[in-house]
Amino acid sequence: MIYSQPIVWTTRKIKHNQQHYIEKEASVDLYKDEVVTPFDRFPIKEIHDVSYRPLPGKLSFFYLHTVRGVYTYRVKSSPEDWIAEYKKIQIK
């Protein structure tokens, strides 16, 4: 693995007629030939670009632009280092 970017997402559960929000954590992992997320695997050749949108507050957005569409991930820390590593290995 070259680099790992922590991501978060929230799930909603209803228990005993009450709503509960549960925050889960995982990572988007960069390898020399693919990107692995908790939900998908993308060969490097299927990724067109990656981007980041910082927002005020705790969370920001990290985007994978792929042949299958744009995938959005919420991040608590800047993915700029992950993006820099991706740019080194991306297929032109």
Side-chain angles (χ1 to χ4, degrees):
M1 179 172 38
I2 296 171
Y3 208 88
S4 182
Q5 174 62 46
I7 61 171
V8 296
W9 69 95
T10 304
T11 59
R12 181 178 72 134
K13 299 241 182 204
I14 297 176
K15 186 175 181 180
H16 303 296
N17 210 24
Q18 291 184 334
Q19 270 189 131
H20 299 278
Y21 292 94
I22 301 162
E23 186 175 275
K24 300 200 177 202
E25 296 184 14
S27 62
V28 175
D29 300 327
L30 176 65
Y31 295 88
K32 71 175 190 167
D33 58 345
E34 70 179 345
V35 172
V36 178
T37 75
F39 316 103
D40 291 295
R41 291 177 107 80
F42 302 97
I44 289 293
K45 65 182 180 181
E46 288 187 5
I47 298 175
H48 297 304
D49 197 11
V50 293
S51 60
Y52 166 60
R53 181 171 181 212
L55 299 173
K58 292 182 183 180
L59 297 175
S60 298
F61 292 111
F62 175 45
Y63 302 99
L64 286 181
H65 305 263
T66 74
V67 296
R68 297 183 241 167
V70 177
Y71 289 77
T72 305
Y73 302 96
R74 295 184 326 160
V75 295
K76 290 183 177 179
S77 61
S78 170
E80 291 173 354
D81 291 339
W82 192 102
I83 292 170
E85 291 299 321
Y86 167 76
K87 298 282 184 187
K88 291 177 186 176
I89 63 167
Q90 97 183 82
I91 298 171
K92 308 251 179 194

